[in-house]
Amino acid sequence: MTSPDPAPQRALAEERAHHERCRAALAAMVDGAQDQVVTGEDVSASGADAEVLGYRLRSHAKELRELPPGPLFFGRLDLADAAEERSLHIGRLRVTEHPAAPPLVVDWRAPVSRAFYQATARDPLGVTVRRRFGWAPGSPGDSADLTGLEDEHLGRGESRASALVAREIERPRVGPMRDIAATIQPEQDDLVRAGLTTTVCVQGAPGTGKTAVGLHRAAYLLYTHPQRIRRGGLLVLGPNRAFLRYIAEVLPALGETGVRQSTLTEEIARQPVTGTDGERTAAVKHDARMAEVLRRALYARVSADGTGDLAVPDGSYRWRVPAGELTRIVEGVLAERPPYDTGRERVRARIVRYVRDRAERRAGPRTPAWTRRIERSRAVTGRLDAVWPRVRPEEVVAALLTDPAALAAAADGLLDADEQKALLWRRPPRSWKSARWSAADLVLLDETAGLLAHPQGYGHVVVDEAQDLSPMECRAIARRAAFGSLTVLGDLAQGTTPWAARSWRAVLGHLGRPDAEVTPLTTGFRVPEAVLALANRLLDRLDVDVPPARSLRGDGELTIRQVGSGEVPAAVVAAVRDALAREGSIGVIAADADLPRVRETLAAAGIAAAGPEEPAARVCAVPAGVVKGLEYDHVVAVEPAAIAEAETRGPHRLYVVLTRAVSRLDVIHARPLPF
């Protein structure tokens, strides 16, 4: 009997010992960060400097304390150069025993770590051996959970597919989304490490990791440009709260906390949504032409004609500003096209300057106190209210949607009569305060607010599922990234809103980045080949120019079960029970209107099914309308024809549903399949 080769076992023992050393060093780093906070509280510095230092120390200590448990490294590089040979362990954050000592673990975002993702036998980038580690699924970071290792000897020209990477990619999807730092592919790494000022647009087929790429790019930018990004902030926009809950743990697992993760609706919610719109009305409100309609409606309130001369009291004297001068001031400011509120203050300032110039000619220089008194005088403010009135976005939008004459004037040459009719509220409220605002109204309010004053911007914005954005939603995002950059992620084939884009050029134009490069990701790592082949059969019906996706995974199962019209419920129960006998998460997906009956069927069979808001549940019953961005090991797709017919872009929705499966797809239908 041949004894096992001791070399791999010895290497494994050495790596476990190194991990123990890393764990001890990280614990010391956490304790040291907290000690620095205590020391920093007594720092001898000015109040402002001490406050800044204290904030940075507390933030660093908080980030280390909140780092989720897990393995501290996933790879190793053996490097050879003219000076020396050295080894670097690659992990999710830098671990060191002393700030001046060589790191025990190098952050995956560090420049030297790039070779881990990019080195090949043809171009080894100085790497002699690339080692990958296999960890027990869900490991909290116990060194005993290090179960295997795999070496590629690039210095010898050896390059082969990684079994450990394949195993990690195919591992069952239970719970929230995981980070992919250990499995990033070269084309993904190029996108992750794009420069701060570069806007990246990813056309990603299902399962190509586009969402993970966006989140890892956010982590990379925070690491590479911490001051610039944190000064402006970083925003991750997802399509809904279920999606955000699913991705919530990715950035903390990469050592980044405090990043705002939100939906666009939450970002622009000036008013609660209590009303609804028909599809036609919502489509008009989301149309890019509404931006000009709103601009016209707002500036129609500005006028200096017929207001007469302005008399500004100054003690017993009155300074006169002729009506013609007022008209010239207002027209001059209008020509500069500043934000509305800025323009109002410019008019005030120029009126005051006109008065001050005449006062100084008569009696010499005026004091700042005199200038402030004239600025706030009732005469100046009253006339300003007449020629350039102060308004709220709600006033402008409500007036536009309740007054046919005002709407006709603002929409002249832009919207036809039917479109104008669709916009008008059927039951006008007594005032904007009692209005029932719809979700589509929020984009009008935000556009108007952007005309009044520029919103606070972010240093970088990651936008997922961007193909579903309307032109007006794109404009809302562009305002928040006016001086920053964007990572735009999506798949035109998965566009499901009535205004979903059919080309990325249109989306990027509305985002204010018309020249941004569009990078396709077509090779999938999540969805098995058989499942993608089925979904690709829908592409001809989707009216978008995207290449068919392909998968590196030859595993997985596809089952299509046709049953009688009354047998669908029993078939669903049977499919779920079959899936429960295996490992992994289960998603039962049906048309939104059919889901209550599906839930009742499962409950009657004794199967507890959670909703999409519980990503850690074993079985989830999910309406097709909110499944985008989610994934399950086993998907049971119920009656595809009903999903395809439920909405205008139903075939796109069905494409989304079919591509949620990570390992197995079970299609159950009584009606003919729509592909």
Side-chain angles (χ1 to χ4, degrees):
M1 180 175 177
T2 304
S3 61
D5 185 352
Q9 295 302 316
R10 184 167 56 250
L12 197 59
E14 291 172 353
E15 296 291 4
R16 286 172 176 161
H18 183 74
H19 193 263
E20 281 297 314
R21 183 181 175 189
C22 295
R23 290 178 64 185
L26 179 61
M29 287 171 61
V30 173
D31 292 341
Q34 189 58 46
D35 290 343
Q36 286 180 332
V37 171
V38 174
T39 303
E41 290 176 349
D42 300 323
V43 68
S44 176
S46 69
D49 290 343
E51 185 175 341
V52 170
L53 176 61
Y55 172 78
R56 291 178 179 173
L57 292 175
R58 287 192 300 274
S59 297
H60 180 58
K62 181 173 182 288
E63 288 171 359
L64 288 177
R65 288 196 309 272
E66 293 181 353
L67 186 72
L72 296 180
F73 56 75
F74 52 78
R76 193 183 89 176
L77 294 176
D78 291 353
L79 303 170
D81 54 37
E84 61 176 344
E85 293 186 1
R86 56 188 175 129
S87 294
L88 299 175
H89 285 76
I90 312 298
R92 289 166 178 79
L93 80 163
R94 186 177 191 271
V95 178
T96 181
E97 291 173 316
H98 186 275
L104 300 176
V105 179
V106 177
D107 196 297
W108 67 276
R109 298 165 288 187
V112 72
S113 300
R114 188 167 196 187
F116 183 78
Y117 304 105
Q118 297 283 354
T120 64
R122 182 173 297 178
D123 186 12
L125 302 176
V127 178
T128 58
V129 179
R130 173 167 50 207
R131 174 170 288 180
R132 302 181 190 273
F133 298 100
W135 292 85
S139 169
D142 294 335
S143 299
D145 292 337
L146 177 54
T147 57
L149 53 84
E150 177 185 83
D151 288 343
E152 278 182 274
H153 294 271
L154 301 181
R156 303 177 192 166
E158 174 187 308
S159 185
R160 53 190 170 82
S162 168
L164 288 177
V165 170
R167 195 179 311 146
E168 173 64 20
I169 290 173
E170 296 169 10
R171 183 153 61 85
R173 261 58 171 179
V174 178
M177 183 180 184
R178 305 191 301 266
D179 72 79
I180 61 165
T183 61
I184 289 173
Q185 302 300 299
E187 64 272 20
Q188 295 172 321
D189 185 64
D190 290 335
L191 293 166
V192 166
R193 296 176 191 266
L196 171 61
T197 59
T198 303
T199 287
V200 169
C201 179
V202 180
Q203 160 55 45
T208 54
K210 57 183 175 293
T211 297
V213 164
L215 294 173
H216 284 68
R217 186 178 185 218
Y220 173 78
L221 293 177
L222 284 164
Y223 172 87
T224 311
H225 308 280
Q227 300 306 318
R228 291 178 63 183
I229 290 291
R230 293 191 189 282
R231 185 164 57 244
L234 194 147
L235 172 66
V236 176
L237 287 175
N240 50 57
R241 269 287 140 194
F243 175 82
L244 293 175
R245 280 188 290 270
Y246 180 62
I247 68 170
E249 295 184 12
V250 174
L251 287 171
L254 296 170
E256 299 297 346
T257 58
V259 174
R260 180 167 175 78
Q261 300 188 31
S262 183
T263 67
L264 182 59
T265 299
E266 292 169 347
E267 290 296 299
I268 66 176
R270 291 182 57 91
Q271 296 292 332
V273 174
T274 56
T276 57
D277 286 321
E279 186 173 306
R280 171 67 167 161
T281 298
V284 178
K285 290 179 179 179
H286 279 279
D287 193 288
R289 293 171 293 168
M290 286 302 300
E292 177 60 17
V293 172
L294 290 165
R295 192 195 68 79
R296 291 179 183 178
L298 174 62
Y299 283 93
R301 296 167 178 261
V302 176
S303 175
D305 295 335
T307 57
D309 294 350
L310 167 63
V312 182
D314 180 15
S316 60
Y317 193 82
R318 275 177 161 61
W319 300 103
R320 189 176 69 88
V321 182
E325 182 62 27
L326 282 171
T327 299
R328 283 191 293 273
I329 287 173
V330 171
E331 289 178 348
V333 172
L334 282 172
E336 296 165 6
R337 298 179 70 92
Y340 184 92
D341 288 348
T342 301
R344 174 182 161 90
E345 293 310 309
R346 285 185 187 176
V347 170
R348 184 198 299 273
R350 290 176 191 183
I351 291 173
V352 172
R353 185 192 307 161
Y354 182 89
V355 172
R356 187 184 65 225
D357 288 346
R358 274 134 193 85
E360 289 180 345
R361 287 178 199 163
R362 185 170 184 264
R366 304 288 88 186
T367 66
W370 180 93
T371 301
R372 287 193 297 272
R373 179 164 52 82
I374 297 297
E375 283 176 344
R376 301 304 164 189
S377 69
R378 287 185 179 181
V380 171
T381 300
R383 183 56 60 91
L384 188 62
D385 288 340
V387 301
W388 201 297
R390 186 184 300 278
V391 293
R392 293 174 57 97
E394 290 83 355
E395 295 176 70
V396 176
V397 175
L400 188 69
L401 301 184
T402 56
D403 186 343
L407 177 57
D412 183 39
L414 293 172
L415 304 178
D416 62 31
D418 288 340
E419 290 171 321
Q420 293 178 38
K421 184 178 179 181
L423 284 176
L424 289 169
W425 282 338
R426 282 160 177 72
R427 296 182 179 178
R430 281 177 291 183
S431 75
W432 67 263
K433 294 180 180 179
S434 60
R436 294 173 57 84
W437 301 100
S438 70
D441 289 332
L442 296 185
V443 298
L444 305 184
L445 293 172
D446 192 75
E447 179 75 26
T448 308
L451 291 168
L452 294 173
H454 293 308
Q456 179 181 357
Y458 290 88
H460 190 78
V461 181
V462 178
V463 189
D464 208 348
E465 304 296 348
Q467 76 283 342
D468 278 334
L469 296 171
S470 72
M472 292 293 281
E473 288 173 325
C474 288
R475 291 176 60 86
I477 294 170
R479 285 190 288 275
R480 287 158 175 79
F483 304 104
S485 54
L486 294 164
T487 298
V488 182
L489 312 165
D491 178 9
L492 296 177
Q494 297 184 57
T496 53
T497 57
W499 41 78
R502 287 181 166 82
S503 88
W504 284 116
R505 283 293 146 224
V507 174
L508 291 169
H510 293 304
L511 286 170
R513 308 296 195 280
D515 300 324
E517 184 176 351
V518 180
T519 302
L521 291 179
T522 59
T523 303
F525 309 95
R526 172 174 59 82
V527 184
E529 180 63 38
V531 175
L532 272 185
L534 179 68
N536 283 341
R537 288 163 58 183
L538 273 170
L539 286 179
D540 289 341
R541 294 190 56 188
L542 304 187
D543 190 29
V544 290
D545 184 18
V546 299
R550 68 185 189 92
S551 177
L552 295 181
R553 293 181 53 189
D555 63 331
E557 300 176 22
L558 170 63
T559 303
I560 300 177
R561 309 184 191 187
Q562 184 169 12
V563 298
S565 59
E567 299 172 355
V568 170
V572 171
V573 170
V576 173
R577 283 180 173 156
D578 179 63
L580 285 169
R582 313 190 198 192
E583 188 180 7
S585 57
I586 303 162
V588 184
I589 308 173
D592 294 29
D594 294 342
L595 193 70
R597 290 193 296 274
V598 171
R599 285 185 175 279
E600 291 172 5
T601 297
L602 293 173
I607 299 173
E613 67 280 357
E614 300 180 45
R618 180 74 196 284
V619 181
C620 289
V622 188
V626 301
V627 78
K628 189 174 294 182
L630 306 182
E631 57 185 35
Y632 301 94
D633 286 287
H634 190 133
V635 166
V636 180
V638 184
E639 202 61 87
I643 296 172
E645 295 170 0
E647 53 189 303
T648 302
R649 295 175 70 99
H652 293 257
R653 183 75 69 188
L654 179 57
Y655 182 84
V656 173
V657 169
L658 297 179
T659 55
R660 300 307 92 200
V662 174
S663 299
R664 298 177 298 280
L665 172 63
D666 212 331
V667 178
I668 297 174
H669 70 105
R671 300 171 55 190
L673 293 173
F675 44 78

